[in-house]
Amino acid sequence: MKTNDLILQTVTKVCAFVIILFSISIFLGGHYSPGGGFVGGLMTSCAIVLLLLAYDLKTVAALLPIDYKIMIACGLLISASTVAGSWLFHAPLMTHAYSYFNLPILGKTSLHTAVLFDLGVYLVVIGVTMTIIQTIGESE
Amino acid sequence: MNNIVFLPVLLPLLTGVILIFFARKTGIQKGISFLSSLCGMAVALYLVHYISNNGIKVLEVGSWKAPFGIVIVADMLASLLVLTTSLVGFAVLLYSFRGIGKEREKFYYYSIFQFLLVGVNGAFLTGDIFNLFVFFEVMLMSSYVLLVLGGTKGQLRESLKYILVNVISSAFFVITVAYLYSVVGTLNMADIGRRIGEAGQPGIITVIAVMFLIVFGLKGAIFPLFYWLPGSYFAAPIPVLALFGALLTKVGIYSILRTYTLMFPHQQGYTHELLGILSILTIIVGVIGAIAYWDVKKIIIYNIVIAVGVIAFGISLMNQDGLAGSLFYLIHDMIIKAALFLLAGIMMKVTGSSSLREMGGLIRTNPGLGWTFFLAAISLAGIPPFSGFSGKLLILQGAAEKGAFIGMAVVLISSLLVLYSIMRIFIYGFWGNVTSYTPASSVPVTKLLTPAVILVAVSVLYGIGTEFVYPFIIQGTEPLVDPQIYIDAVLKEEG
């Protein structure tokens, strides 16, 4: 018998976006409020897992054509380069810097290099979670 | 520029990450990891040179001052061990090019290899007890993957045991750090050492010291806690085994050396005597194992246990000679164990078996292999011009100074039995009649032999050039004998 999961799929289409937006908000707000790269990444992968539940591995792979192992490597590279980058400015490694910028829409905003490090964490967390789930899901 | 201190960690980290991108292209992987390994050795050599001229170098990561941020501390002890690690890493990498096989290479072998070096170098260089835990985990997780990679039945069974033991010991490590933090309120090793010194090491600190001994004893395979080691190491493929045998247990020993000289040297009556007794028992158990087996791998694996015991005995003496001997022997042992495992691997490739009963007459078919093994064997036992001698001599001097005559006798007799166990491999494997082998593979032996020859040559030079090496060893021992040197270097303002 073929099951009809129309309701699940329709709800997922809406919810996945909401979850991803919320996870990005949590990720960006990590410096001032609870959250950060780890929870953000975990929640983004939750959205993808929801897609996996509603659809199947092939559909999601066509929807998001990402090699998550490369994503892990990219995340590690971003974080490690942030750490190493302070060397170029003759500061001890992992020294972070921040400044205020006047951005077009957001106005006066402080940008901090710690966000770059967090971006690496974010990508690694998504990559690791999705690699684990996909590998287990694919193996017979 | 102080940042150079962190380069032995950063370089393999970046290499490992970049290698993930080239997972399927083994040629590029080999090229990149070879270059990175060469750079790593150059950096480590420069570091040793730099420290010998300028004294202890401290990097305050993220520009935060000492007790509040993480510090990376390169003293001579850490730099020498980093140098040895990069040398061993280079040789094992060379062996892996021919000896590990395509199916492992394509599944991130070289990346994980680099991450293991990150963990080991980081553990040697860090000056923060929780950071030490993190680097231990980096090292252990890489070792889990290296142990299980390939997925044969033996590997799966033994990695399960290995992971179980290490997860438990890691949990114990966290608990111990939690106790320590609740007593002294700091995680910086120099600051911990200073505060314990001020408090005069009350009873609870002695309890924590013994807990650290259990944790690091589990990692470093000291007497009642060594039971996981023979089986787990036996399952690993040869280059991985060489890496494990040379590096992993030595990080545990280094941690005992660091904590027992820097943090807990104030009430030696209990803790150091306990360490002394356990180390003597470790030597005895190791010797029994080394003599009992007819398997080349098993014999050398039990020789790791013996060496751990000898080094720990040197640490327990807590005098200049004993500590210098321990450091000297530690470096010697890292090099020679890697060399012996690589040589055993080549013997297994030639004969298709690791049992001594199925070997014989190898000296006729492979004379180069035979004489390299002979040199490695007598270096291991500590025959005078070679590298095992000076370390043991210093440890014995330290023991005589302290009046630890039982330990002295055990170390001396153990040398004899080590020589017996390793010569048995030589006699049964290399002498006698050539038996008909079924070679395990058609890999040309000469190319596999190169890294082993490099290691044995370094080991021989290390033994002959004792006069040249000795000042470095003494400089490495200074902060161990007088922890105030280390504390002052890290906590500059208060110092």
Side-chain angles (χ1 to χ4, degrees):
Chain A
M1 195 186 83
K2 197 174 179 299
T3 51
N4 188 349
D5 41 13
L6 181 69
I7 297 177
L8 178 63
Q9 292 186 346
T10 314
V11 172
T12 301
K13 274 176 198 163
V14 181
C15 280
F17 277 107
V18 178
I19 297 173
I20 288 176
L21 282 177
F22 187 48
S23 74
I24 290 173
S25 140
I26 274 186
F27 162 61
L28 289 176
H31 206 93
Y32 299 104
S33 56
F38 186 74
V39 207
L42 218 48
M43 197 174 264
T44 306
S45 44
C46 277
I48 305 173
V49 170
L50 185 62
L51 286 174
L52 280 175
L53 285 176
Y55 300 91
D56 58 289
L57 280 170
K58 272 183 194 150
T59 319
V60 177
L63 191 67
L64 300 166
I66 301 167
D67 185 347
Y68 291 103
K69 294 189 213 70
I70 299 295
M71 198 178 200
I72 299 174
C74 288
L76 283 172
L77 201 59
I78 291 171
S79 289
S81 323
T82 314
V83 168
S86 49
W87 202 333
L88 298 178
F89 302 96
H90 298 285
L93 290 169
M94 231 179 278
T95 304
H96 290 288
Y98 69 95
S99 190
Y100 291 95
F101 296 94
N102 275 315
L103 297 179
I105 301 166
L106 299 165
K108 194 183 175 198
T109 318
S110 80
L111 295 181
H112 199 295
T113 50
V115 178
L116 285 176
F117 189 86
D118 233 18
L119 179 68
V121 176
Y122 181 75
L123 293 177
V124 170
V125 170
I126 298 176
V128 168
T129 326
M130 293 320 295
T131 309
I132 293 173
I133 291 169
Q134 271 193 344
T135 317
I136 296 174
E138 277 166 359
S139 67
E140 294 291 315
Chain B
M1 196 63 194
N2 275 0
N3 277 339
I4 189 87
V5 168
F6 200 60
L7 209 53
V9 182
L10 200 60
L11 189 68
L13 177 63
L14 284 172
T15 314
V17 171
I18 289 168
L19 287 180
I20 299 178
F21 290 108
F22 303 107
R24 293 281 174 271
K25 302 189 181 70
T26 48
I28 298 176
Q29 288 207 44
K30 285 176 184 174
I32 293 176
S33 41
F34 181 76
L35 280 181
S36 143
S37 193
L38 277 182
C39 292
M41 276 207 294
V43 166
L45 262 177
Y46 177 73
L47 194 60
V48 169
H49 171 75
Y50 190 72
I51 305 294
S52 75
N53 288 336
N54 300 316
I56 299 176
K57 221 64 218 157
V58 180
L59 168 67
E60 285 161 338
V61 173
S63 312
W64 298 100
K65 287 288 157 230
F68 305 111
I70 291 171
V71 286
I72 301 291
V73 187
D75 58 350
M76 187 46 93
L77 167 67
S79 336
L80 284 175
L81 292 175
V82 165
L83 178 61
T84 320
T85 305
S86 11
L87 174 72
V88 169
F90 176 69
V92 175
L93 192 73
L94 275 189
Y95 187 94
S96 303
F97 288 166
R98 302 270 166 188
I100 196 71
K102 275 268 181 293
E103 65 277 14
R104 285 195 173 91
E105 278 175 344
K106 284 194 174 160
F107 283 90
Y108 305 98
Y109 174 78
Y110 293 116
S111 288
I112 307 292
F113 189 102
Q114 297 293 336
F115 289 140
L116 187 89
L117 293 186
V118 172
V120 173
N121 282 341
F124 286 145
L125 285 172
T126 187
D128 183 286
I129 196 78
F130 199 77
N131 205 224
L132 178 69
F133 168 76
V134 174
F135 278 122
F136 257 103
E137 287 307 300
V138 171
M139 173 184 92
L140 287 172
M141 287 199 189
S142 320
S143 74
Y144 302 155
V145 181
L146 285 180
L147 187 58
V148 82
L149 195 67
T152 62
K153 198 175 165 192
Q155 279 180 300
L156 291 176
R157 185 184 61 236
E158 293 304 333
S159 60
L160 199 65
K161 290 181 197 165
Y162 180 71
I163 291 172
L164 204 61
V165 166
N166 278 303
V167 165
I168 291 169
S169 75
S170 295
F172 212 73
F173 196 167
V174 176
I175 295 168
T176 312
V177 170
Y179 273 128
L180 188 63
Y181 186 66
S182 67
V183 174
V184 295
T186 178
L187 290 172
N188 182 297
M189 290 202 222
D191 204 25
I192 293 172
R194 187 176 58 106
R195 290 194 191 186
I196 291 178
E198 282 166 4
Q201 195 162 343
I204 181 74
I205 295 287
T206 304
V207 173
I208 292 169
V210 174
M211 283 172 78
F212 267 125
L213 184 60
I214 296 172
V215 171
F216 297 137
L218 261 168
K219 315 267 189 201
I222 282 182
F223 161 60
L225 309 166
F226 74 99
Y227 52 86
W228 55 270
L229 183 132
S232 304
Y233 279 23
F234 191 73
I238 287 294
V240 175
L241 175 57
L243 211 54
F244 283 17
L247 303 180
L248 294 197
T249 51
K250 309 305 183 292
V251 180
I253 281 292
Y254 163 81
S255 308
I256 293 177
L257 181 57
R258 187 62 93 195
T259 48
Y260 271 55
T261 53
L262 179 61
M263 298 180 195
F264 312 116
H266 309 288
Q267 299 285 331
Q268 295 180 12
Y270 188 78
T271 48
H272 288 67
E273 203 171 313
L274 180 67
L275 181 63
I277 293 167
L278 289 182
S279 59
I280 289 170
L281 289 172
T282 312
I283 299 175
I284 293 171
V285 170
V287 164
I288 293 172
I291 292 174
Y293 285 97
W294 278 86
D295 189 293
V296 179
K297 264 157 94 181
K298 271 268 154 63
I299 293 173
I300 305 173
I301 286 170
Y302 274 100
N303 269 302
I304 299 177
V305 180
I306 302 173
V308 163
V310 172
I311 297 164
F313 178 65
I315 298 169
S316 77
L317 298 170
M318 278 304 275
N319 50 28
Q320 172 74 45
D321 282 344
L323 289 169
S326 277
L327 178 52
F328 205 99
Y329 199 75
L330 183 59
I331 294 170
H332 146 78
D333 193 63
M334 285 165 81
I335 298 172
I336 207 72
K337 283 288 144 57
L340 279 171
F341 279 122
L342 295 184
L343 290 166
I346 302 169
M347 286 168 76
M348 285 162 59
K349 280 251 195 285
V350 175
T351 61
S353 159
S354 66
S355 169
L356 278 179
R357 292 202 170 93
E358 290 165 32
M359 292 181 187
L362 276 175
I363 197 96
R364 288 167 211 232
T365 53
N366 302 73
L369 174 64
W371 292 114
T372 315
F373 190 90
F374 182 73
L375 276 181
I378 55 176
S379 302
L380 177 75
I383 308 284
F386 296 105
S387 58
F389 175 69
S390 320
K392 257 183 193 161
L393 182 69
L394 283 168
I395 291 177
L396 290 173
Q397 273 177 4
E401 224 170 274
K402 195 100 176 178
F405 293 111
I406 300 173
M408 217 172 143
V410 170
V411 170
L412 273 176
I413 296 168
S414 81
S415 307
L416 208 60
L417 294 171
V418 162
L419 183 65
Y420 169 68
S421 73
I422 207 80
M423 273 305 149
R424 228 168 39 132
I425 300 181
F426 191 68
I427 290 168
Y428 288 100
F430 289 93
W431 289 357
N433 297 320
V434 181
T435 46
S436 57
Y437 310 125
T438 46
S441 71
S442 54
V443 179
V445 167
T446 40
K447 285 189 173 146
L448 286 176
L449 197 56
T450 318
V453 169
I454 293 173
L455 284 177
V456 173
V458 170
S459 159
V460 168
L461 287 178
Y462 182 64
I464 294 172
T466 305
E467 285 293 325
F468 174 75
V469 179
Y470 195 64
F472 293 96
I473 302 283
I474 290 301
Q475 201 190 346
T477 324
E478 273 165 11
L480 302 179
V481 178
D482 181 11
Q484 202 57 44
I485 298 175
Y486 185 97
I487 294 171
D488 287 346
V490 176
L491 308 170
K492 289 173 199 99
E493 297 85 355
E494 285 121 316

